[in-house]
Amino acid sequence: SRLWVAALGAPLFAAAPFVSTSALAQTEITVQHALPLNSHYGAGAAALKENFERLTSGRYRVTEQRNDNEREMVESVQIGTLDCTVTSTGPVGNFVSEVRVLDVPFLFRNTAHARGVLDGEIGQGLLARFSSRGLAGVAWMENGFRHLTNSRHEVHVPADVQGLKVRTMENPVHMRAFSTLGALPTPMAFSELVPALQQGTVDGQENPIGVIVANNLNQVQRYLTLTGHVYSPAILICNPAMLARMTPADRAHFMTAAKAAATANRDRVTEDVNNGVAELRRRGMIVTTEVDTAAFQASLAPAFAVYERELDGALLRRIRDWH
Ligand code: PAF
């Protein structure tokens, strides 16, 4: 996977010659995520850096790096070669299976529903599950509602999806939905997506507006349909040993900074939703807003039956009924 340093903090005490060496000691925390600096994950990482460095008076330095293989990042956090990642839940269910309920299509009615569930008892309960898998689920963040793009034709109804080769995340819940619709789901890491679209290995992909805009996917995809077929949560996951090495006061500062990061990230998602569709039209995409959502939901009935059986059916109903 490609990995490059997106931003390095300025050395805070570089110009303070009379400070003793121990006062200079700085602990570095590296946070990786899959998107450009100018994106909703970038906004979250920047807020984490700004707040945590300020609250710890520069004793910590946060470095933001880009790595567009989310499974790899979660693995690295688990084994401790990476401190933290902001990732979609795409690969997370393979580590903490309980999280898979959140990946069910058409589960959340709107953003308020999703944020309310994640910030409440259900979301916090799911974060608590990470510790038994060698991970710390620190805070829910947001990727956003996913929409379908493709290079072949406009999509209005489920029949339009039939036979389309669609790149999905490495997520069995999403893959089942696409195969139930008659598409040919092709799971791959985000790092492989653009070459796969260029070479015609896949016809389409699905991602939130902010991802499509920030990665210029309009250059490789002509049609965008506002399917909003699934909410895509994101999460800040850290290595538990790294957090355990902090003093309790610094850990509390880290949690405060994580909250600020989630707020900045969600605000940017909202901004992208408000402006992004017009921007993609300006860049030449053909945008379909008339989508037969009820028909998509009806076509997914066989998949919903499997989710009820294979995932936590009671939890799915609690999420659906949340007000
Ligand atoms: O499609 C994906 O893999 C994810 O939505 C992305 C773009 C890496 C952001 O989390």
Side-chain angles (χ1 to χ4, degrees):
S1 76
R2 284 171 288 148
L3 168 64
W4 63 96
V5 174
L8 285 173
L12 283 163
F13 301 116
F18 304 114
V19 183
S20 77
T21 322
S22 64
L24 283 171
Q26 234 183 9
T27 306
E28 183 162 334
I29 292 180
T30 303
V31 183
Q32 289 184 353
H33 63 80
L35 297 177
L37 206 60
N38 184 13
S39 68
H40 49 292
Y41 290 173
L48 183 75
K49 174 180 173 64
E50 195 182 296
N51 282 276
F52 191 51
E53 289 181 355
R54 181 175 41 76
L55 290 167
T56 58
S57 311
R59 283 178 288 104
Y60 280 87
R61 191 176 74 177
V62 178
T63 302
E64 179 185 358
Q65 294 178 343
R66 193 173 165 198
N67 177 344
D68 45 15
N69 187 321
E70 295 192 321
R71 180 175 43 81
E72 218 172 76
M73 288 189 285
V74 181
E75 276 165 9
S76 302
V77 170
Q78 200 176 40
I79 61 177
T81 52
L82 174 63
D83 297 316
C84 300
T85 178
V86 175
T87 173
S88 76
T89 50
V92 174
N94 301 329
F95 297 83
V96 184
S97 57
E98 294 91 328
V99 168
R100 287 207 175 116
V101 288
L102 301 175
D103 298 320
V104 167
F106 298 112
L107 177 64
F108 294 105
R109 294 179 295 277
N110 50 38
T111 302
H113 181 196
R115 292 178 184 177
V117 166
L118 294 175
D119 292 346
E121 209 183 304
I122 296 173
Q124 300 313 297
L126 287 171
L127 288 182
R129 302 295 179 105
F130 282 69
S131 59
S132 61
R133 319 294 151 83
L135 294 164
V138 176
W140 289 111
M141 295 181 57
E142 185 163 88
N143 193 18
F145 278 93
R146 302 179 79 89
H147 304 285
L148 183 68
T149 68
N150 82 95
S151 55
R152 292 191 167 259
H153 50 238
E154 290 186 35
V155 169
H156 298 266
V157 294
D160 298 331
V161 175
Q162 268 168 30
L164 270 189
K165 285 180 278 175
V166 181
R167 175 269 175 177
T168 68
M169 298 195 287
E170 296 169 300
N171 181 301
V173 176
H174 289 191
M175 287 168 64
R176 176 175 295 282
F178 279 94
S179 55
T180 303
L181 291 172
L184 305 167
T186 309
M188 63 180 79
F190 191 62
S191 51
E192 297 167 45
L193 172 62
V194 169
L197 288 169
Q198 278 165 340
Q199 288 154 21
T201 317
V202 291
D203 304 311
Q205 65 87 45
E206 41 89 54
N207 251 304
I209 297 297
V211 172
I212 300 169
V213 171
N215 292 281
N216 294 310
L217 294 183
N218 50 285
Q219 291 174 357
V220 279
Q221 295 280 265
R222 186 159 165 75
Y223 302 99
L224 164 64
T225 302
L226 299 182
T227 46
H229 53 275
V230 68
Y231 176 78
S232 184
I235 180 171
L236 173 64
I237 304 175
C238 295
N239 178 267
M242 182 279 291
L243 291 175
R245 282 193 294 275
M246 288 181 186
T247 64
D250 284 346
R251 224 169 13 255
H253 289 321
F254 192 77
M255 297 311 288
T256 304
K259 276 210 179 76
T263 303
N265 153 259
R266 286 172 170 182
D267 287 351
R268 178 60 193 265
V269 172
T270 303
E271 198 184 311
D272 285 346
V273 166
N274 291 339
N275 306 323
V277 174
E279 172 61 19
L280 291 170
R281 276 203 179 99
R282 245 193 316 276
R283 295 186 194 171
M285 284 193 102
I286 295 170
V287 182
T288 303
T289 54
E290 301 293 310
V291 183
D292 192 345
T293 304
F296 275 98
Q297 288 170 330
S299 300
L300 284 171
F304 290 138
V306 176
Y307 301 143
E308 287 285 329
R309 241 187 1 256
E310 291 188 351
L311 304 174
D312 183 342
L315 183 56
L316 276 175
R317 282 187 291 279
R318 262 180 80 203
I319 295 175
R320 228 173 247 130
D321 295 345
W322 186 94
H323 277 101

